[in-house]
Amino acid sequence: MLVQINIGRKISVAAVAEEAGVSRSLIHNDYPDLLERIRGNSNKQIQAQRNRKHEALKKVQEKNRQLLELNKELTKQLDALASKNASLTLEIRRLQAIISSDNVAIFKGKNT
């Protein structure tokens, strides 16, 4: 009899028992060495999964650190622009006050 084994299936006592066509209790009771190998492999899978997640977390944390630095720099730039904008607004008001004064004449050159 030819048995199709699912390669992507997680290794567990239940999976091995099902693939072998035996009960789980048979593996537990009669094959303790096989049971330990299954559990050991399962622990390796868990550790590998944990390592993959840890690496992904480190990448996300680095990206977050970079974004925080960018945010700081952009906040500095925004503050500088807001300050410049406030200064220019005051200058516009001062110049408008001068222009609206009765003792100021607007000079019109040849090209205007």
Side-chain angles (χ1 to χ4, degrees):
M1 173 159 95
L2 187 61
V3 177
Q4 176 88 20
I5 297 175
N6 185 351
I7 300 297
R9 187 171 182 184
K10 182 179 174 184
I11 296 176
S12 66
V13 174
V16 171
E18 185 179 309
E19 295 287 343
V22 298
S23 70
R24 287 181 284 182
S25 62
L26 179 74
I27 294 173
H28 282 285
N29 296 331
D30 295 347
Y31 299 98
D33 56 330
L34 177 60
L35 181 63
E36 286 304 312
R37 288 180 65 194
I38 292 169
R39 287 182 177 157
N41 196 7
S42 178
N43 289 338
K44 286 179 186 175
Q45 287 178 341
I46 291 168
Q47 185 177 8
Q49 181 182 23
R50 184 180 63 232
N51 290 344
R52 285 190 303 273
K53 287 184 178 184
H54 182 69
E55 288 300 316
L57 176 63
K58 283 172 41 178
K59 287 179 183 177
V60 169
Q61 286 173 332
E62 175 60 22
K63 179 75 171 180
N64 189 39
R65 188 193 62 74
Q66 291 172 354
L67 290 172
L68 286 172
E69 288 297 317
L70 177 61
N71 190 11
K72 279 185 193 177
E73 182 59 35
L74 291 175
T75 299
K76 282 183 189 177
Q77 290 177 15
L78 182 62
D79 291 346
L81 288 172
S83 176
K84 187 70 171 175
N85 190 30
S87 296
L88 291 172
T89 299
L90 288 174
E91 180 68 11
I92 288 170
R93 287 184 187 155
R94 186 183 71 79
L95 292 172
Q96 285 174 337
I98 291 171
I99 290 173
S100 64
S101 175
D102 290 337
N103 57 355
V104 173
I106 298 177
F107 176 73
K108 295 186 180 188
K110 295 180 185 179
N111 295 334
T112 56

